[in-house]
Amino acid sequence: MVVAATGATAPAPRARRRPTGLAGAAIGVLAAGAAAGVVVERLAMGGGVRRRARLALEFGGPYGTLRGTPGTAFAEDGTALHYEVDEAPVAVPEPAPPRRRRLFGGRREQAVRPAPVTVVFSHGYCLNQDSWHFQRAALRAAGVRAVYWDQRSHGRSGRGVTRAQQGPPVTIDQLGRDLKAVIDAAAPTGPLVLVGHSMGGMTVMALAEQFPGLVRERVAGIALVGTSSGGLADVHFGLPAIGVNAVRRLLPGVLRALGRRADLVERGRQATADVLAGIVTRYSFASAEVDPVVARFAERMIESTPIDVVAEFYPAFDAHDKTAALARFHGLPVLIVAGEGDLVTPVGHSEAMARELPDAELVRVPDAGHLVMLEHPEIVNARLADLLARAGAPSGAATVGSHGSTRGTARPQRAEPPRSQ
């Protein structure tokens, strides 16, 4: 089933340290998966608007402030993976009925309450768990148990130990094993709904490929948001072919060089601040009018990713191919969400996944870019609520769609009713 949806406007993520200068342009491009040739377009919003947005966000903005019970899982190489759990409210048990005397002895069987559904959120490249801000607010209000985690070297998680020791490059398969470690620590029992955006969706596919038993026995639903099962080497990011080819040849080496001079990158960050803001906006959103505070929120998250981490992860995407792993999701409720204006993981990649999963719900969101869950949270939340209901989450999840914002920056709009293709 294919659904066309109408949208709303929403927010973006949080930071750790700001790499810019020459690398600032590169990180902005890469953080959204784009290429350095975009810099010449100078798509920056006005400096006055950016300053007001920065003040609004950094002095009272609500985005990135939702926190849960923290925990740490450890990857197979010892990398510390930070996660947070939002627990479902504990139901007050009904009084037990009067105990009856049993004539023939024996123990009375006690009913075992099933473990609640846990929704596990995996974020994208150069972002962190705060990129799920609107979904987190909604699920918290709906009383759904959820786990949010930071991928290795992102957010509050530790730097990848293997790579820091000059080990092999980061792979998507490794991220899948990291997700398994988080599940073992934060949700060791009970049904799961796995939600992944961009690199996080690839992480979910890698988990399924390597741990089919876990998917078969415990996974009750899958949501793939703005992601791809492969073929990213052919994405042109809205640039002319000649520019893309040049960038593909030069960018890996440029990033490696910049990664070795992170201190220099940090000192030069102000030089390209406005250009970076324009690049982030172009490759994160497609709406004509994105709330500047939301755009600044996204920019701040992306800025927080050190340039050496950008360089470390970038090569993994060209090698990514998990089309075969999608077969692990057959028979499960699957939601695929794509922004029709996504230049990073174009809508055609979501359509390709839907062809592999003909029973999946494919939602194409007009006027939406790569960060669709921040740009149009009402639509994403409503579809996620439906998925959770099918996966057996509490009935309160049906109200998820009504929680698009915590400060009124989003303009709620209804999604169109599904129409079959």
Side-chain angles (χ1 to χ4, degrees):
M1 175 169 53
V2 180
V3 178
T6 56
T9 309
R14 166 173 173 155
R16 192 165 56 192
R17 92 183 193 196
R18 289 183 62 155
T20 0
L22 175 58
I27 190 177
V29 176
L30 289 173
V38 177
V39 173
V40 300
E41 299 181 26
R42 246 191 122 75
L43 298 163
M45 59 174 112
V49 175
R50 287 191 73 251
R51 283 191 293 275
R52 289 194 296 274
R54 181 174 298 178
L55 288 173
L57 177 63
E58 295 175 358
F59 293 92
Y63 309 127
T65 61
L66 300 179
R67 302 264 65 91
T69 303
T72 302
F74 290 94
E76 59 189 6
D77 64 353
T79 300
L81 304 170
H82 177 82
Y83 66 83
E84 296 177 14
V85 181
D86 286 356
E87 294 287 357
V90 178
V92 178
E94 296 180 2
R99 189 165 184 172
R100 294 181 181 177
R101 189 172 178 182
R102 301 179 67 88
L103 295 177
F104 299 101
R107 292 184 179 179
R108 173 180 295 178
E109 294 289 336
Q110 289 189 348
V112 178
R113 294 179 182 271
V117 172
T118 299
V119 189
V120 183
F121 287 84
S122 300
H123 68 79
Y125 179 43
C126 295
L127 299 172
N128 59 53
Q129 64 177 269
D130 292 337
S131 62
W132 299 109
H133 176 85
F134 283 132
Q135 291 66 48
R136 189 169 195 164
L139 265 64
R140 183 175 287 189
V144 177
R145 187 177 195 269
V147 173
Y148 306 85
W149 69 294
D150 293 326
Q151 302 249 26
R152 62 172 54 222
S153 303
H154 290 69
R156 292 173 169 82
S157 286
R159 286 299 308 271
V161 171
T162 300
R163 189 59 180 158
Q165 297 171 349
Q166 301 304 310
V170 172
T171 64
I172 301 299
D173 285 341
Q174 183 174 48
L175 303 183
R177 295 190 293 274
D178 289 352
L179 175 55
K180 176 62 161 55
V182 170
I183 290 172
D184 288 346
T189 61
L192 303 168
V193 172
L194 305 179
V195 183
H197 168 250
S198 192
M199 182 177 76
M202 302 172 201
T203 300
V204 170
M205 296 175 217
L207 171 82
E209 183 177 62
Q210 297 173 93
F211 302 98
L214 174 69
V215 175
R216 184 172 56 252
E217 296 165 13
R218 295 188 56 200
V219 174
I222 299 287
L224 303 172
V225 181
T227 189
S228 171
S229 60
L232 291 170
D234 298 325
V235 175
H236 56 77
F237 307 114
L239 299 174
I242 187 170
V244 171
N245 292 336
V247 167
R248 290 197 189 285
R249 287 195 306 272
L250 298 174
L251 196 52
V254 170
L255 284 173
R256 285 194 299 272
L258 292 173
R260 291 193 290 268
R261 296 304 309 272
D263 54 337
L264 205 61
V265 171
E266 179 67 19
R267 288 200 298 271
R269 63 183 172 83
Q270 290 296 338
T272 57
D274 285 345
V275 173
L276 174 59
I279 292 170
V280 170
T281 299
R282 174 167 171 76
Y283 286 96
S284 298
F285 309 108
S287 304
E289 296 181 5
V290 175
D291 186 333
V293 180
V294 171
R296 174 58 189 152
F297 177 45
E299 181 189 348
R300 191 175 69 174
M301 269 197 297
I302 291 166
E303 288 172 346
S304 73
T305 308
I307 188 62
D308 48 337
V309 173
V310 177
E312 178 184 332
F313 276 69
Y314 181 69
F317 300 112
D318 278 357
H320 166 64
D321 185 355
K322 290 289 179 280
T323 302
L326 296 175
R328 306 293 187 191
F329 303 147
H330 285 163
L332 293 174
V334 177
L335 169 67
I336 301 173
V337 180
E340 291 190 346
D342 190 339
L343 298 175
V344 180
T345 52
V347 66
H349 288 241
S350 291
E351 292 170 340
M353 291 189 294
R355 287 193 293 272
E356 297 291 328
L357 297 166
D359 294 330
E361 179 187 22
L362 171 60
V363 179
R364 291 189 297 231
V365 185
D367 202 28
H370 192 54
L371 299 186
V372 58
M373 70 285 190
L374 291 168
E375 189 171 13
H376 296 292
E378 286 282 315
I379 293 172
V380 175
N381 290 359
R383 297 304 177 195
L384 186 58
D386 180 66
L387 176 71
L388 295 182
R390 287 185 286 151
S395 58
T399 67
V400 165
S402 65
H403 295 271
S405 169
T406 57
R407 277 285 177 92
T409 56
R411 296 191 297 275
Q413 295 182 16
R414 296 188 179 208
E416 294 179 1
R419 51 184 173 83
S420 300
Q421 178 172 306

